[in-house]
């Protein structure tokens, strides 16, 4: 099993350090169309270091067994690894271990919250769950920049319960309109759900500001942390959010594993979303009693190997240091925005150059469809994301239907950014657009 790290712990990142990190990622040595791979699509899915790949394989070769379901040696060992991983992830985001619920992805985590609220609205969970119930006159507030996973579930909850869905609009520069936020969030607001970092723009939401408005309104606060937990220090308790969601596949872990954070005081009263085996204490032919959180929300056979691998991914990130990662990605983001500003006919979406963002940037190339942009970049071995990025309302607010997004991570150098910028500058001339 690969457990050695290329860098000493907490080493500041620069190009030299990143090149050492890249040795842990076999896929980055791949050639694409005769060029070395430049992977700038980590906002969609990150790559996996050997340490994480080996952790999952090691589980299957040494400890594979169902968790919480047996007394034999392998069952005990697999259960220990499973719960040790929960503690590791909890510490990483400033939570208690019983505040971490395993899900298949962040989308499922957010749906867990909305479906559980819907169950409470239908009277399930008894008196303790009544605080989660919604109905006519209640309002759910989101923002215009949300990923569909933090929009559609709330749309559906509003339709099921009769609540009204409202949203905080964007300003022309793609940032949230904070003046409007103060008007939209009122005493009627029962839920306030928003993203920490835009998955399109890389802009960072003022969490303290929105949380203060939500607390004043008495709302439940739900944070989409998919684009922040992998890239910067995050502490959910310090943020004082009630629920939060993030995915493993965006932070060096395998696909198929996500995390829901919920305050212990709330999870204990929240009725479950999925029901079945492993989440009960007593079952008769007519009724069932459920276990305490987090097990209450983990029905059925769990994704044990992915959980173990996620914990190893967390250890890998902690070894590098989240502050180091945040600073390096801010440098990559600055280089991206400065370079984009010099390319004729290319519009940077979101915060203007010089404003805080992660190592991500989305662009609109005048006269060229994003899919064509992506194909031109791919011919030079550069992998980016094209399309609406599961954020159609955001694109519509910015006056475009889709965009091209470059998103860096711990294994990207400034040379990767420069390769992207050089290739981007060739797109319009390739199609004969010279104005």
């Amino acid at each position: 099993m690969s457990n050695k790290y290329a860098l000493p712990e907490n080493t500041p990142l620069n190009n030299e350090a990143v090149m050492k990190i890249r040795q842990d990622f076999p896929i980055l040595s791949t050639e694409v169309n005769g060029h070395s791979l430049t992977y700038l699509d980590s906002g969609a899915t990150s790559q996996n270091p050997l340490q994480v790949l080996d952790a999952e394989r090691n589980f299957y070769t040494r400890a594979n067994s169902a968790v919480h379901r047996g007394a034999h040696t392998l069952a005990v060992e697999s259960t220990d690894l499973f719960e040790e991983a929960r503690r590791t992830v909890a510490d990483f985001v400033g939570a208690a271990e019983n505040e971490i619920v395993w899900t298949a992805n962040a989308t499922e985590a957010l749906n867990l919250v909305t479906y559980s609220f819907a169950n409470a609205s239908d009277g399930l969970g008894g008196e303790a769950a009544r605080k989660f119930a919604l109905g006519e006159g209640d309002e759910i507030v989101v923002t215009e920049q949300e990923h569909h996973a933090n929009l559609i579930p709330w749309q559906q909850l509003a339709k099921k319960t009769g609540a009204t869905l409202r949203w905080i609009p964007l300003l022309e520069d793609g940032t949230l309109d904070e003046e409007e936020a103060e008007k939209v969030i009122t005493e009627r607001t029962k839920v306030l759900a928003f993203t920490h970092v835009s998955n399109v723009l890389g802009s960072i939401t003022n969490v303290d500001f929105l949380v203060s408005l939500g607390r004043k309104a008495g709302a439940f606060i739900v944070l989409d942390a998919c684009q922040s937990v992998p890239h910067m220090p995050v502490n959910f308790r310090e943020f004082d959010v009630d629920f939060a969601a993030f995915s493993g596949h965006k932070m060096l872990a395998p696909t198929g594993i996500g995390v829901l954070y919920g305050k212990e005081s709330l999870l204990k009263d929240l009725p479950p979303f999925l029901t079945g085996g492993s989440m009960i204490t007593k079952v008769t032919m007519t009724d069932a009693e459920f276990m305490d959180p987090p097990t209450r929300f983990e029905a059925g056979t769990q994704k044990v190997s992915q959980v173990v691998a996620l914990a190893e991914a967390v250890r890998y990130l902690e070894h590098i240091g989240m502050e180091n990662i945040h600073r390096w990605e801010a440098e990559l983001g600055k280089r991206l925005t400065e370079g984009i500003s010099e390319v004729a006919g290319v519009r940077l979406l979101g915060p203007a150059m010089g404003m805080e963002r992660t190592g991500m940037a989305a662009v609109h190339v005048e006269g060229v469809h994003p899919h064509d942009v992506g194909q031109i970049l791919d011919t030079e071995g550069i992998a980016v994301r094209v399309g609406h990025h599961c954020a159609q309302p955001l694109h519509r607010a910015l006056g475009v239907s889709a965009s091209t997004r470059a998103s860096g991570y711990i294994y990207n150098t400034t040379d990767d950014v420069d390769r992207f910028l050089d290739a981007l500058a060739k797109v319009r001339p390739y199609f004969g657009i010279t104005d």
Side-chain angles (χ1 to χ4, degrees):
M1 181 174 176
S2 298
N3 54 14
K4 294 182 179 179
Y5 297 96
L7 296 175
E9 187 174 5
N10 202 33
T11 301
L13 296 185
N14 53 34
N15 284 325
E16 182 180 359
V18 170
M19 290 304 294
K20 292 180 179 178
I21 288 174
R22 288 170 65 94
Q23 297 172 16
D24 288 334
F25 294 82
I27 199 170
L28 297 181
S29 62
T30 302
E31 283 198 355
V32 175
N33 296 320
H35 299 273
S36 58
L37 171 64
T38 297
Y39 190 77
L40 290 170
D41 195 21
S42 294
T45 290
S46 64
Q47 299 300 340
N48 313 108
L50 288 167
Q51 291 84 347
V52 170
L53 298 173
D54 287 349
E56 186 167 21
R57 178 180 175 82
N58 189 61
F59 171 81
Y60 278 122
T61 57
R62 299 187 181 183
N64 184 35
S65 185
V67 300
H68 297 305
R69 294 186 182 183
H72 58 80
T73 299
L74 287 184
V76 172
E77 185 172 352
S78 63
T79 299
D80 287 346
L81 289 169
F82 186 71
E83 294 303 333
E84 179 187 351
R86 198 189 304 271
R87 289 189 290 274
T88 298
V89 173
D91 289 344
F92 186 61
V93 293
E97 60 185 283
N98 62 352
E99 295 177 319
I100 295 298
V101 177
W102 303 125
T103 62
N105 44 52
T107 299
E108 184 183 288
L110 292 164
N111 272 273
L112 189 161
V113 177
T114 60
Y115 273 86
S116 294
F117 276 36
N119 285 345
S121 302
D122 286 339
L124 298 180
E127 185 66 27
R130 284 178 59 85
K131 57 177 165 286
F132 304 114
L134 283 85
E136 291 185 9
D138 293 325
E139 294 181 350
I140 301 167
V141 174
V142 295
T143 81
E144 201 172 17
Q145 67 177 347
E146 297 308 312
H147 187 285
H148 296 164
N150 200 34
L151 171 60
I152 299 172
W154 301 111
Q155 290 177 347
Q156 295 298 304
L157 180 62
K159 292 177 180 179
K160 290 174 184 175
T161 61
T164 299
L165 182 71
R166 302 188 68 191
W167 57 89
I168 303 165
L170 297 177
L171 297 169
E172 289 186 4
D173 65 358
T175 58
L176 285 181
D177 188 333
E178 294 190 352
E179 288 187 11
E180 281 300 309
E182 296 187 74
K183 300 174 184 177
V184 173
I185 300 169
T186 71
E187 68 279 356
R188 290 181 177 270
T189 304
K190 191 68 177 285
V191 177
L192 171 60
F194 61 93
T195 185
H196 188 184
V197 173
S198 167
N199 74 301
V200 178
L201 310 176
S203 52
I204 302 172
T205 302
N206 185 342
V207 173
D208 291 341
F209 172 73
L210 289 185
V211 168
S212 68
L213 294 181
R215 288 285 166 245
K216 183 178 179 181
F220 292 109
I221 301 172
V222 183
L223 184 70
D224 175 355
C226 286
Q227 298 291 345
S228 59
V229 167
H231 303 287
M232 62 184 67
V234 170
N235 188 304
F236 293 141
R237 281 186 174 174
E238 290 181 0
F239 282 163
D240 191 29
V241 296
D242 296 310
F243 301 96
F246 59 99
S247 289
H249 73 100
K250 296 183 189 295
M251 52 185 291
L252 311 182
T255 55
I257 180 62
V259 179
L260 172 68
Y261 160 81
K263 285 184 176 177
E264 178 183 5
S265 59
L266 298 179
L267 289 179
K268 70 180 180 63
D269 293 333
L270 193 67
F273 161 39
L274 295 173
T275 54
S278 301
M279 47 79 71
I280 50 82
T281 57
K282 181 180 179 182
V283 178
T284 68
M285 290 306 298
T286 58
D287 208 353
E289 296 176 6
F290 306 127
M291 297 186 71
D292 291 333
T295 315
R296 176 188 302 172
F297 303 102
E298 294 175 354
T301 300
Q302 291 298 296
K303 35 259 162 225
V304 187
S305 67
Q306 293 97 322
V307 164
V308 170
L310 173 60
E312 186 60 35
V314 165
R315 286 187 282 269
Y316 192 97
L317 292 171
E318 287 180 324
H319 182 85
I320 296 172
M322 295 309 297
E323 286 286 358
N324 290 327
I325 293 170
H326 184 40
R327 282 193 293 268
W328 179 244
E329 291 187 22
E331 185 173 333
L332 294 179
K334 180 174 182 289
R335 196 178 189 94
L336 272 169
T337 56
E338 289 178 349
I340 290 167
S341 70
E342 297 176 0
V343 182
V346 175
R347 172 190 168 196
L348 173 69
L349 303 181
M353 184 175 61
M355 295 183 67
E356 185 181 19
R357 66 166 64 230
T358 60
M360 176 188 293
V363 299
H364 172 67
V365 180
E366 295 290 341
V368 184
H369 193 280
H371 290 120
D372 294 326
V373 176
Q375 288 184 332
I376 295 299
L377 297 178
D378 186 58
T379 62
E380 298 199 20
I382 301 167
V384 296
R385 175 78 183 270
V386 298
H388 54 67
H389 319 312
C390 298
Q392 289 185 9
L394 182 153
H395 281 88
R396 195 172 297 117
L398 297 177
V400 297
S401 61
S403 63
T404 303
R405 183 189 70 188
S407 51
Y409 204 13
I410 59 173
Y411 36 65
N412 289 117
T413 65
T414 57
D415 287 343
D416 291 336
V417 172
D418 293 344
R419 284 189 64 192
F420 165 76
L421 295 170
D422 289 344
L424 186 65
K426 299 174 184 177
V427 172
R428 296 179 83 242
Y430 178 87
F431 289 98
I433 306 172
T434 57
D435 61 334

